[in-house]
Every structure is written in C-alpha cells, then in structure tokens.
Amino acid sequence: MPGHFEPLPGGGAAVALDDVEISIIRSLAVQLLELIGPGPGAEAPDDPLAELFAEGPSEPPADPVLRRLFPDAYGDPGQAPGSPAEAEERRAHSAEFRRFTENDLRAGKRDSALAVIRTLDELAPVDEGGAVLELSPEESRQWLGALNDLRLAIGARLEITDDDDTDLLYRLPEEDPRKPMVLAYLWLGGLQETLVTTLMP
C-alpha cells in the first residue's frame, strides 16, 4: 500500500501516507481552494435563490492555472482553424456556456478540495508516523477530482502541454528550481493512476 492506492473490500480505497505527504497534499488542496475562490453567493449566504440564479463569468480567467481548470468549451477561438467569423461564433458559444456552467464547476472543484482536507484532518496517526487513509467510494471520486485539478494546476505552472513536456521533466537537473514542483506533479500522477484503478469495476 505505501505510495499507492489499493481497493478496499466493499468499495473505496486506502493508501498509507507519511506526515510529509499528508502535509503536502493538504497544503496543495488549500492553495487550490484559495485559487478557485469562495464562489457566488458568498457575500449573501442568507439568500439561497441568489446563488441558484447567479450567472457565472462569460470571459475566460486571466490566470493560466484557472484557464486550465476552466477551459473554453469550444476550444481557444484564437487557436482553432477557421475564418474570423467562425472564431467569433465559437467565442460567443464559449462565453454563453461558461456563463451558465462555471459556477457549478467551481462549486464541484471546491467540494472535492474540501473533501481532501477534511479526510486528511480526520486521520488518526500511527505510532511510526503518518497514517492510513481509507476512503469511501464517494470520497474516492472526490479525491480523484481533486488530484486531477492539482495536477492540472501544477502542469499549468510548469507549462506542460503534452506528453513530450512530461518526458522532459524526468531529465531536469537537480538544481533546477522547478524540481520540487515536478516531483509533486509526478507523485500526484502516480496516486491518481492507482486511485483510478481502484474505481474500475
């Protein structure tokens, strides 16, 4: 079990984490929450209808990490082939889609990050340090979403766009300042891959 998720009888998954790993994942999840933000209705929690009917933004975020987490539904209008009129049409469709879906997407990502923090905070430490994290099937799905979001965020900071970029990460010299972020990216990828395996029928 060390370093990777294993299935639990009856569903769910378990992984052994040491204190440093717990601290890293929790810190990254908190940073992700701060990046995503509190969401609509945060200023008026007493009015549930205000949040229900709140419209999201129509323009993509300026931050490259948020752009990776909340991409245009119809692709980047400036990158896709076609005429200027077709690009403008894609831009309009993406804006409309974003306006009605981004708030829900943000809420889902917040819920997943909060689930990660909550389950880590509830861990009971073992004598030799660290703990065994046991997740229900629902918590496993939330963790999977959060791990994916964390890797997307780190990948955006590292400017990873394809598999070739990932291959280059393995060859970074030890003194490269990106090395700790690269190690986190690769480690989270391993956790994500083994968690996917536990959720397969």
Side-chain angles (χ1 to χ4, degrees):
M1 184 187 305
H4 61 271
F5 279 98
E6 292 184 357
L8 288 173
V15 63
L17 299 170
D18 64 33
D19 291 337
V20 173
E21 292 169 332
I22 292 168
S23 176
I24 289 171
I25 296 174
R26 191 185 188 286
S27 174
L28 290 172
V30 168
Q31 291 176 56
L32 182 64
L33 273 178
E34 292 171 351
L35 183 66
I36 293 171
E43 297 82 12
D46 296 332
D47 186 0
L49 289 179
E51 184 170 353
L52 181 63
F53 292 106
E55 292 184 357
S58 58
E59 294 298 318
D63 187 304
V65 174
L66 289 175
R67 283 182 76 99
R68 184 76 63 92
L69 291 172
F70 305 103
D72 278 324
Y74 296 88
D76 187 339
Q79 301 290 328
S83 68
E86 290 171 328
E88 186 54 41
E89 184 178 1
R90 282 192 296 272
R91 187 176 285 106
H93 287 316
S94 288
E96 190 76 356
F97 186 85
R98 184 180 296 279
R99 192 159 63 94
F100 291 110
T101 61
E102 187 168 312
N103 285 344
D104 287 341
L105 289 173
R106 284 180 181 260
K109 291 179 186 300
R110 277 194 300 273
D111 288 347
S112 294
L114 283 168
V116 167
I117 294 168
R118 185 187 69 248
T119 52
L120 291 177
D121 287 348
E122 292 172 352
L123 281 177
V126 293
D127 290 340
E128 59 271 18
V132 175
L133 174 70
E134 294 189 355
L135 302 174
S136 69
E138 175 59 25
E139 289 170 335
S140 296
R141 286 186 286 274
Q142 290 176 310
W143 263 75
L144 188 59
L147 288 173
N148 186 62
D149 289 340
L150 290 173
R151 290 192 78 239
L152 286 173
I154 295 172
R157 290 289 186 239
L158 292 171
E159 299 180 347
I160 297 170
T161 56
D162 57 33
D163 290 338
D164 290 338
D165 292 338
T166 305
D167 292 339
L168 292 173
L169 298 180
Y170 289 99
R171 298 194 293 272
L172 282 179
E174 291 299 323
E175 62 273 13
D176 193 301
R178 297 170 294 172
K179 192 72 173 185
M181 203 183 306
V182 166
L183 293 175
Y185 178 83
L186 297 173
W187 172 58
L188 292 173
L191 286 177
Q192 182 182 9
E193 185 177 344
T194 58
L195 185 52
V196 167
T197 303
T198 70
L199 294 173
M200 289 181 176

